[in-house]
């Protein structure tokens, strides 16, 4: 016997489809006593949904709870975030990073002027004239 709260995404449940276990795809609650369960039946290759009430809990059994640490996230989004982190911290390892990743090809004396002279000089206050 399983409670409706135990129906989590990725869990295998018996008692929804007779004679087979299904995998929970989604659970949408309707108050505290009923929920719509969207499930995948791997044996039949189908997806279905069923409205469950507290009175249905006696026939449900959880075979395998959903994974807490699933590695099924969006790979493109992960790559974007990791690249942003890399760029954010890259200046610690390469002070000339801006020069190396830009499309502009600077001359050696320009690099020396910017990084050795201008960035090392104290800041000069600029006043706006109006």
């Amino acid at each position: 016997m399983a409670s409706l709260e135990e129906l989590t995404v990725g869990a295998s449940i018996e008692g929804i489809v007779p004679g087979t276990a299904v995998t929970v795809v989604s659970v949408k609650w309707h108050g505290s006593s009923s929920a719509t369960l969207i499930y995948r039946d791997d044996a039949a290759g189908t997806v279905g949904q069923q409205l469950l009430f507290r009175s249905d809990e006696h026939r449900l059994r959880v075979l395998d709870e959903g994974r807490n640490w699933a590695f099924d996230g969006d790979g493109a989004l992960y790559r974007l975030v990791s690249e942003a982190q890399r760029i954010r911290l890259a200046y610690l390892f390469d002070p000339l990073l801006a020069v190396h990743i830009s499309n502009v090809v600077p001359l050696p004396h320009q690099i020396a002027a910017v990084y050795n002279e201008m960035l090392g000089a104290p800041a000069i206050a600029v006043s706006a004239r109006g």
Side-chain angles (χ1 to χ4, degrees), residues 7-106:
L7 303 178
T8 58
V9 174
S12 293
I13 309 292
E14 274 187 346
I16 303 295
V17 176
T20 186
V22 298
T23 303
V24 177
V25 174
S26 172
V27 178
K28 181 179 178 189
W29 284 90
H30 308 288
S32 61
S33 61
S34 64
T36 299
L37 174 73
I38 299 175
Y39 61 87
R40 182 180 65 239
D41 184 355
D42 291 327
T46 60
V47 175
Q49 71 178 11
Q50 188 170 355
L51 183 61
L52 298 173
F53 299 95
R54 293 283 177 199
S55 59
D56 296 320
E57 289 181 336
H58 71 281
R59 65 182 172 95
L60 302 176
R61 187 167 71 105
V62 177
L63 300 177
D64 182 25
E65 292 187 16
R67 299 177 296 168
N68 291 332
W69 298 98
F71 294 99
D72 57 356
D74 183 9
L77 183 59
Y78 175 76
R79 170 120 189 200
L80 179 66
V81 170
S82 63
E83 184 67 10
Q85 276 297 96
R86 185 189 70 80
I87 291 171
R88 188 175 75 83
L89 298 174
Y91 76 94
L92 296 171
F93 304 102
D94 184 8
L96 301 177
L97 177 71
V99 175
H100 295 298
I101 63 173
S102 69
N103 289 331
V104 177
V105 180

